[in-house]
Amino acid sequence: MKPIPTLAALLLAALPCVPLDAQAPPAVRLEYEEETLPNGLKVIYSVDRSAPVASTVLWYDVGSKHEVRGRTGFAHLFEHLMLFTGSRNAPEGRHFGLLEAVGARAGSDINGTTSFDRTNYFQQVPSHALELALWLEADRMATLDEALNEGKLANQREVVKNERRQGMDNQPYGRWIERILVHMYPEEHPYRHVVLGSMEDLENASIEDVRSFFRTYYVPNNAVLAIAGDIDVPQVRQMVHRYFAGIPGGAEPPPVRRVPLPPRLGASPREVIPDANAPAPAVYVAFRVPPARDPRAPAVNLLAQLLAGGRSSPLYTSLVRDRQVATQVFSFNFELVEDADMLVVGATGKPGANADSLEAALLAEVHGVAARIDAAGLERARAAATFDLVNQLQTMGGFGGRGDVLAQGAVVYGDAGWINRYLPALSAVSVNDVSSLAREFLAPDNRAVLVFVPAPRPGAPQ
């Protein structure tokens, strides 16, 4: 039997041996159906029968931006409670155990993630096991709070605190995100704190607080369920109605608090951070840029890719290969949706290198890049960004798979089919678009700088 070409194969087939700027962009379009249940749950169905695999992806419109002072880290803590503490009919450990018994893999197929803007849960299973996945997902949406108790909360609270210690507090440069947010967003802004929250707030979280958070945000009318893969839509629609339609809707969750930001930072905060875990100096620079819902968002993403994406990028070429003042460079943006996004660029120096020299070299390259953006560099960035997105769409579920992208569209952009507009928008970005963006936003009065300097460990001989 002739194999069915995958999306990546189709993309590669569209890349003959001709100059990059002579190619037409790959045409990718996700087809789907959607409905809204009487309790407010939005459901998206997308059929792909190329492999006997199906996925469920459930996005809740709750992230760290919904948290308030003294209650930070709740959205991420709740991700752990949802994943690991069990529900009424699937006690602790059974959710993963039942799905692993049909072939799904914990981590890549069964997992959840939390960001500033949302929380998602997903499972990818053999298509004949889809009903099991739907039943499990509905059971924890409907009954998780019944299964919560002080012991389970205390256990997951310690897990999250250890995650923070390992991922931030005891990692080289691990506190960069916490410090950069303080410089980029004012007091009371919803993006001012990290997703992991503070140790103090986690310690003070009570069972009443957690149950209240669940009843506020984990309701059908605050969620989008996407089902993708080898599915029969009428049959799966019946399953969805059987398991989800009886879950009561909740009150409308409170809106995200508004703390208006000017489009540019209007300042140049700089902080030097002695870091006992750091083997070498490092510099992180964050710029305020248009948010993910802004028409310029595709150009922001390409600018981030262009700066330090790959070994032909300007920062890698200059700082790592030619001048050898850095061992690695990076750039990315968060695609935040409220008020303003952050574009972060950075470099790590060699052990023993001078941090000030590294900072000066990095800033000079970043601020000079707008004048050097050309068609070849933009096409390299566009090809990498497009392939990365198309490649992830080969999977039905998991982080970044088709179900995830469709749910993202519905929650973030109010349009499940946003991806069908995004790829053409990415193709339409011009050199002038990116150069103008760089000139406007990669400016000294629109940046926050962190300089990490290796420091002796407490108690170590001087």
Side-chain angles (χ1 to χ4, degrees):
M1 186 174 70
K2 185 178 179 180
I4 298 172
T6 63
L7 278 170
L10 290 171
L11 175 60
L12 291 171
L15 296 177
C17 296
V18 296
L20 284 171
D21 58 2
Q23 301 166 43
V28 176
R29 181 174 180 81
L30 294 190
E31 302 294 343
Y32 62 92
E33 299 176 33
E34 57 186 333
E35 65 171 329
T36 301
L37 304 189
N39 60 12
L41 177 67
K42 293 183 176 64
V43 188
I44 303 164
Y45 307 90
S46 183
V47 179
D48 184 320
R49 294 187 178 279
S50 60
V53 173
S55 75
T56 71
V57 182
L58 187 59
W59 273 50
Y60 288 95
D61 190 3
V62 58
S64 61
K65 72 181 181 185
H66 295 88
E67 298 162 352
V68 298
R69 179 180 289 185
R71 296 291 184 271
T72 63
F74 270 46
H76 177 252
L77 173 62
F78 221 93
E79 175 203 317
H80 281 251
L81 295 171
M82 285 282 280
L83 288 174
F84 304 118
T85 60
S87 52
R88 180 203 295 163
N89 299 300
E92 195 168 357
R94 291 290 286 164
H95 190 116
F96 278 69
L98 287 168
L99 293 176
E100 287 176 337
V102 298
R105 300 159 299 179
S108 57
D109 290 332
I110 318 164
N111 215 328
T113 67
T114 310
S115 77
F116 293 94
D117 292 312
R118 57 92 187 118
T119 309
N120 68 2
Y121 301 90
F122 50 82
Q123 35 262 309
Q124 181 165 264
V125 295
S127 50
H128 68 269
L130 176 61
E131 186 165 7
L132 171 64
L134 290 170
W135 174 76
L136 285 167
E137 197 64 88
D139 196 58
R140 64 182 175 187
M141 175 189 276
T143 70
L144 183 111
D145 59 336
E146 296 177 21
L148 278 178
N149 58 42
E150 294 282 0
K152 291 178 179 178
L153 173 60
N155 178 275
Q156 291 306 316
R157 180 165 47 210
E158 290 307 308
V159 171
V160 172
K161 288 167 64 179
N162 277 332
E163 186 177 339
R164 184 187 156 106
R165 292 187 189 100
Q166 293 173 7
M168 289 181 59
D169 300 336
N170 298 325
Q171 273 288 321
Y173 326 115
R175 295 185 59 218
W176 79 268
I177 180 63
E178 193 164 53
R179 296 308 307 159
I180 212 78
L181 290 174
V182 168
H183 293 301
M184 294 295 288
Y185 296 101
E187 198 75 32
E188 299 298 334
H189 193 279
Y191 290 148
R192 172 86 167 188
H193 65 276
V194 292
V195 172
L196 285 171
S198 78
M199 284 292 198
E200 182 180 6
D201 290 352
L202 291 170
E203 190 60 48
N204 291 334
S206 70
I207 193 75
E208 291 77 20
D209 294 332
V210 171
R211 285 192 171 123
S212 173
F213 195 82
F214 177 76
R215 291 164 185 161
T216 301
Y217 293 107
Y218 285 76
V219 290
N221 45 304
N222 198 47
V224 172
L225 172 65
I227 304 162
D230 178 25
I231 61 173
D232 177 83
V233 173
Q235 184 182 47
V236 175
R237 196 188 300 272
Q238 289 182 3
M239 296 178 194
V240 168
H241 283 250
R242 185 180 309 140
Y243 299 120
F244 287 91
I247 302 173
E252 193 67 24
V256 178
R257 63 187 181 278
R258 304 299 301 176
V259 181
L261 292 178
R264 289 161 53 89
L265 194 58
S268 307
R270 178 179 183 271
E271 182 178 0
V272 177
I273 303 175
D275 188 343
N277 298 307
V283 179
Y284 289 71
V285 187
F287 297 91
R288 187 173 289 176
V289 291
R293 292 175 181 146
D294 189 282
R296 293 168 290 179
V300 173
N301 293 343
L302 287 179
L303 177 59
Q305 174 68 37
L306 189 149
L307 281 166
R311 300 190 175 205
S312 58
S313 65
L315 293 187
Y316 188 92
T317 299
S318 173
L319 301 181
V320 178
R321 192 169 63 202
D322 293 346
R323 301 167 64 182
Q324 299 185 17
V325 297
T327 57
Q328 67 166 346
V329 294
F330 51 86
S331 64
F332 55 87
N333 62 306
F334 286 78
E335 299 187 76
L336 301 173
V337 301
E338 306 287 348
D339 298 323
D341 190 16
M342 287 191 302
L343 191 156
V344 178
V345 298
T348 305
K350 296 179 178 179
N354 182 280
D356 292 339
S357 299
L358 179 66
E359 177 190 4
L362 174 65
L363 293 177
E365 286 298 326
V366 170
H367 293 307
V369 78
R372 303 196 306 275
I373 294 174
D374 58 18
L378 176 60
E379 289 310 318
R380 280 194 295 271
R382 195 191 329 264
T386 303
F387 181 76
D388 185 53
L389 187 53
V390 173
N391 197 32
Q392 74 184 43
L393 291 176
Q394 290 187 101
T395 62
M396 296 301 107
F399 187 68
R402 283 191 218 182
D404 200 46
V405 168
L406 290 166
Q408 176 186 2
V411 171
V412 174
Y413 303 101
D415 174 12
W418 77 278
I419 188 68
N420 296 330
R421 292 182 286 104
Y422 179 76
L423 284 169
L426 203 64
S427 298
V429 174
S430 68
V431 170
N432 185 56
D433 293 334
V434 182
S435 297
S436 298
L437 194 78
R439 282 193 295 272
E440 181 175 358
F441 292 100
L442 301 187
D445 66 344
N446 187 43
R447 73 183 188 209
V449 179
L450 302 180
V451 180
F452 285 86
V453 180
R457 289 183 177 277
Q462 299 295 309

